[in-house]
Amino acid sequence: MAGRFDPMNRTAVRGGRTAVRPSTVPTPTPTGRIRQWTPPGPLDLGLVLGPLRRGPADPTFRTTGDGSVWRASLTPAGPGTLRVAARDGRIEAEAWGPGAAWLLDTLPGLLGEQDDPGAFVPRHRIVHASHRRRPGLRLCRTTLVLESLIPLILEQRVTSDEAYRAWRLLVRGYGEPAPGPAPAGMFAMPHPQIWARIPSWDWHKAGVDAKRSGTVLRAVRAAARLEEAASMPEHEARARLELIPGIGPWTSAETLQRSNGFPDAVTTGDLHLPRIIGHALTGERNTDDAAMLELLAPYQGQRHRAARLILLAGSAPPRRAPRMYRNDIGRI
């Protein structure tokens, strides 16, 4: 799987963290729809929204020097751009485009309103320390399944750099320019019908093999049914996603962590995650999925949150094997 957990990959978003500066500039004159929301507790925008960023040049995600996070999304109402910033204990949001009202209506859920950090009880010293240092960690909930699913399909069995490049090229080539005064180069994800019409040579140029592009095409043909998973319990949502050939436990868990905010949707089948968790909790560097799940058993119901806190702690085993081979089929 993609190397987002690889401690040597400098473009990886380890644990879903992205840098967001504190907002210090005056509130700009609004040009779109606006909303203010006061979160129920500490909230770190970089930790909450970081897992939604697909690499440093993601055309759907930007951070700016004034402390704002910008997202371009394809909502049920159409494309929209959302800008959020934290100021004086509250969230200031502004949105543009046909999807603006939808983005503002779902803002609290996106920022973890339905998450319950108080349900988490650290059981290991490293987890306790990581938890104490990050009181603003909440699990986001986008309610947009395809928005997370498609880039994760692109990340299957390749390096992060390859997957991020494919996502960047396809979204820029076929997505819609982000509405409003978004930073230059931002685009909303293509509509499912557009994904279905991407010619094979453009998949190839983006470095996406036939197996992954075929999985994306099967997913977008069932887009309406897959989006229903956003309102399902975890086991039903995972079963719905995994009905699509090419979508397995790794892809479904990573998708539902973002679209549904499930705190127990632990990732299995990842190249690095079991080793990182094993090393952090026991010092063992060759932990497999079964051993990882046993180590995380005390966090049943909160295993995804525990795994994120361990990743954020930065403890990883030393590298003893070559990097995953990068094979850009677009050059062939």
Side-chain angles (χ1 to χ4, degrees), residues 47-62:
L47 288 174
V48 176
L49 298 178
L52 304 180
R53 187 175 198 171
R54 323 310 305 192
D58 184 351
T60 70
F61 192 109
R62 289 285 191 278

PDB file of all heavy atoms in Angstrom, residues 47-62:
ATOM      1  N   LEU A  47      -4.740  18.824  12.612  1.00  0.00           N
ATOM      2  CA  LEU A  47      -4.938  17.416  12.954  1.00  0.00           C
ATOM      3  C   LEU A  47      -6.281  16.898  12.457  1.00  0.00           C
ATOM      4  O   LEU A  47      -6.392  15.751  12.017  1.00  0.00           O
ATOM      5  CB  LEU A  47      -4.853  17.235  14.478  1.00  0.00           C
ATOM      6  CG  LEU A  47      -3.472  17.354  15.108  1.00  0.00           C
ATOM      7  CD1 LEU A  47      -3.579  17.299  16.628  1.00  0.00           C
ATOM      8  CD2 LEU A  47      -2.544  16.251  14.610  1.00  0.00           C
ATOM      9  N   VAL A  48      -7.316  17.732  12.538  1.00  0.00           N
ATOM     10  CA  VAL A  48      -8.652  17.282  12.147  1.00  0.00           C
ATOM     11  C   VAL A  48      -8.748  17.110  10.634  1.00  0.00           C
ATOM     12  O   VAL A  48      -9.263  16.099  10.143  1.00  0.00           O
ATOM     13  CB  VAL A  48      -9.716  18.272  12.652  1.00  0.00           C
ATOM     14  CG1 VAL A  48     -11.108  17.854  12.170  1.00  0.00           C
ATOM     15  CG2 VAL A  48      -9.702  18.335  14.175  1.00  0.00           C
ATOM     16  N   LEU A  49      -8.252  18.075   9.877  1.00  0.00           N
ATOM     17  CA  LEU A  49      -8.404  18.048   8.422  1.00  0.00           C
ATOM     18  C   LEU A  49      -7.200  17.449   7.697  1.00  0.00           C
ATOM     19  O   LEU A  49      -7.288  17.155   6.503  1.00  0.00           O
ATOM     20  CB  LEU A  49      -8.655  19.463   7.907  1.00  0.00           C
ATOM     21  CG  LEU A  49      -9.937  20.135   8.429  1.00  0.00           C
ATOM     22  CD1 LEU A  49     -10.053  21.549   7.886  1.00  0.00           C
ATOM     23  CD2 LEU A  49     -11.164  19.315   8.060  1.00  0.00           C
ATOM     24  N   GLY A  50      -6.088  17.241   8.398  1.00  0.00           N
ATOM     25  CA  GLY A  50      -4.891  16.701   7.767  1.00  0.00           C
ATOM     26  C   GLY A  50      -5.090  15.410   6.998  1.00  0.00           C
ATOM     27  O   GLY A  50      -4.525  15.245   5.900  1.00  0.00           O
ATOM     28  N   PRO A  51      -5.892  14.445   7.508  1.00  0.00           N
ATOM     29  CA  PRO A  51      -6.058  13.195   6.754  1.00  0.00           C
ATOM     30  C   PRO A  51      -6.721  13.365   5.393  1.00  0.00           C
ATOM     31  O   PRO A  51      -6.680  12.450   4.571  1.00  0.00           O
ATOM     32  CB  PRO A  51      -6.946  12.353   7.684  1.00  0.00           C
ATOM     33  CG  PRO A  51      -6.686  12.889   9.051  1.00  0.00           C
ATOM     34  CD  PRO A  51      -6.487  14.362   8.841  1.00  0.00           C
ATOM     35  N   LEU A  52      -7.333  14.519   5.132  1.00  0.00           N
ATOM     36  CA  LEU A  52      -8.007  14.738   3.850  1.00  0.00           C
ATOM     37  C   LEU A  52      -7.052  15.217   2.766  1.00  0.00           C
ATOM     38  O   LEU A  52      -7.421  15.271   1.596  1.00  0.00           O
ATOM     39  CB  LEU A  52      -9.129  15.761   4.017  1.00  0.00           C
ATOM     40  CG  LEU A  52     -10.172  15.429   5.089  1.00  0.00           C
ATOM     41  CD1 LEU A  52     -11.234  16.523   5.146  1.00  0.00           C
ATOM     42  CD2 LEU A  52     -10.815  14.072   4.832  1.00  0.00           C
ATOM     43  N   ARG A  53      -5.835  15.543   3.129  1.00  0.00           N
ATOM     44  CA  ARG A  53      -4.872  16.069   2.162  1.00  0.00           C
ATOM     45  C   ARG A  53      -4.136  14.924   1.477  1.00  0.00           C
ATOM     46  O   ARG A  53      -3.556  14.069   2.137  1.00  0.00           O
ATOM     47  CB  ARG A  53      -3.866  16.978   2.867  1.00  0.00           C
ATOM     48  CG  ARG A  53      -2.922  17.703   1.941  1.00  0.00           C
ATOM     49  CD  ARG A  53      -2.050  18.680   2.708  1.00  0.00           C
ATOM     50  NE  ARG A  53      -1.435  19.668   1.831  1.00  0.00           N
ATOM     51  CZ  ARG A  53      -0.768  20.721   2.248  1.00  0.00           C
ATOM     52  NH1 ARG A  53      -0.629  20.946   3.545  1.00  0.00           N
ATOM     53  NH2 ARG A  53      -0.244  21.561   1.392  1.00  0.00           N
ATOM     54  N   ARG A  54      -4.125  14.936   0.146  1.00  0.00           N
ATOM     55  CA  ARG A  54      -3.458  13.882  -0.622  1.00  0.00           C
ATOM     56  C   ARG A  54      -2.148  14.417  -1.172  1.00  0.00           C
ATOM     57  O   ARG A  54      -2.004  14.726  -2.350  1.00  0.00           O
ATOM     58  CB  ARG A  54      -4.337  13.375  -1.774  1.00  0.00           C
ATOM     59  CG  ARG A  54      -5.808  13.287  -1.518  1.00  0.00           C
ATOM     60  CD  ARG A  54      -6.211  12.582  -0.255  1.00  0.00           C
ATOM     61  NE  ARG A  54      -5.688  11.246  -0.114  1.00  0.00           N
ATOM     62  CZ  ARG A  54      -6.112  10.381   0.805  1.00  0.00           C
ATOM     63  NH1 ARG A  54      -7.050  10.733   1.658  1.00  0.00           N
ATOM     64  NH2 ARG A  54      -5.581   9.190   0.891  1.00  0.00           N
ATOM     65  N   GLY A  55      -1.185  14.623  -0.286  1.00  0.00           N
ATOM     66  CA  GLY A  55       0.126  15.090  -0.687  1.00  0.00           C
ATOM     67  C   GLY A  55       0.245  16.600  -0.638  1.00  0.00           C
ATOM     68  O   GLY A  55      -0.743  17.328  -0.522  1.00  0.00           O
ATOM     69  N   PRO A  56       1.477  17.115  -0.741  1.00  0.00           N
ATOM     70  CA  PRO A  56       1.717  18.552  -0.577  1.00  0.00           C
ATOM     71  C   PRO A  56       1.145  19.419  -1.688  1.00  0.00           C
ATOM     72  O   PRO A  56       0.990  20.621  -1.507  1.00  0.00           O
ATOM     73  CB  PRO A  56       3.244  18.641  -0.530  1.00  0.00           C
ATOM     74  CG  PRO A  56       3.728  17.417  -1.233  1.00  0.00           C
ATOM     75  CD  PRO A  56       2.717  16.353  -0.933  1.00  0.00           C
ATOM     76  N   ALA A  57       0.843  18.862  -2.858  1.00  0.00           N
ATOM     77  CA  ALA A  57       0.314  19.655  -3.976  1.00  0.00           C
ATOM     78  C   ALA A  57      -1.098  19.220  -4.344  1.00  0.00           C
ATOM     79  O   ALA A  57      -1.526  19.363  -5.488  1.00  0.00           O
ATOM     80  CB  ALA A  57       1.245  19.540  -5.189  1.00  0.00           C
ATOM     81  N   ASP A  58      -1.848  18.702  -3.387  1.00  0.00           N
ATOM     82  CA  ASP A  58      -3.228  18.273  -3.620  1.00  0.00           C
ATOM     83  C   ASP A  58      -4.045  19.448  -4.172  1.00  0.00           C
ATOM     84  O   ASP A  58      -4.162  20.474  -3.510  1.00  0.00           O
ATOM     85  CB  ASP A  58      -3.822  17.778  -2.298  1.00  0.00           C
ATOM     86  CG  ASP A  58      -5.225  17.216  -2.451  1.00  0.00           C
ATOM     87  OD1 ASP A  58      -5.829  17.357  -3.529  1.00  0.00           O
ATOM     88  OD2 ASP A  58      -5.724  16.633  -1.467  1.00  0.00           O
ATOM     89  N   PRO A  59      -4.627  19.322  -5.371  1.00  0.00           N
ATOM     90  CA  PRO A  59      -5.393  20.447  -5.927  1.00  0.00           C
ATOM     91  C   PRO A  59      -6.711  20.703  -5.222  1.00  0.00           C
ATOM     92  O   PRO A  59      -7.349  21.726  -5.475  1.00  0.00           O
ATOM     93  CB  PRO A  59      -5.624  20.035  -7.392  1.00  0.00           C
ATOM     94  CG  PRO A  59      -5.500  18.555  -7.393  1.00  0.00           C
ATOM     95  CD  PRO A  59      -4.508  18.212  -6.325  1.00  0.00           C
ATOM     96  N   THR A  60      -7.149  19.799  -4.330  1.00  0.00           N
ATOM     97  CA  THR A  60      -8.400  20.013  -3.597  1.00  0.00           C
ATOM     98  C   THR A  60      -8.175  20.569  -2.201  1.00  0.00           C
ATOM     99  O   THR A  60      -9.148  20.800  -1.469  1.00  0.00           O
ATOM    100  CB  THR A  60      -9.190  18.696  -3.473  1.00  0.00           C
ATOM    101  OG1 THR A  60      -8.515  17.794  -2.570  1.00  0.00           O
ATOM    102  CG2 THR A  60      -9.353  18.013  -4.817  1.00  0.00           C
ATOM    103  N   PHE A  61      -6.904  20.801  -1.804  1.00  0.00           N
ATOM    104  CA  PHE A  61      -6.603  21.168  -0.417  1.00  0.00           C
ATOM    105  C   PHE A  61      -5.444  22.154  -0.399  1.00  0.00           C
ATOM    106  O   PHE A  61      -4.423  21.931  -1.044  1.00  0.00           O
ATOM    107  CB  PHE A  61      -6.220  19.892   0.350  1.00  0.00           C
ATOM    108  CG  PHE A  61      -6.143  20.032   1.851  1.00  0.00           C
ATOM    109  CD1 PHE A  61      -7.102  19.440   2.661  1.00  0.00           C
ATOM    110  CD2 PHE A  61      -5.113  20.723   2.457  1.00  0.00           C
ATOM    111  CE1 PHE A  61      -7.034  19.539   4.047  1.00  0.00           C
ATOM    112  CE2 PHE A  61      -5.035  20.842   3.832  1.00  0.00           C
ATOM    113  CZ  PHE A  61      -6.003  20.243   4.635  1.00  0.00           C
ATOM    114  N   ARG A  62      -5.611  23.243   0.357  1.00  0.00           N
ATOM    115  CA  ARG A  62      -4.532  24.214   0.517  1.00  0.00           C
ATOM    116  C   ARG A  62      -4.542  24.779   1.939  1.00  0.00           C
ATOM    117  O   ARG A  62      -5.590  24.881   2.571  1.00  0.00           O
ATOM    118  CB  ARG A  62      -4.694  25.400  -0.445  1.00  0.00           C
ATOM    119  CG  ARG A  62      -4.444  25.100  -1.895  1.00  0.00           C
ATOM    120  CD  ARG A  62      -2.959  24.942  -2.217  1.00  0.00           C
ATOM    121  NE  ARG A  62      -2.752  24.902  -3.648  1.00  0.00           N
ATOM    122  CZ  ARG A  62      -2.911  23.822  -4.398  1.00  0.00           C
ATOM    123  NH1 ARG A  62      -3.272  22.681  -3.832  1.00  0.00           N
ATOM    124  NH2 ARG A  62      -2.705  23.872  -5.706  1.00  0.00           N
TER     125      ARG A  62
END
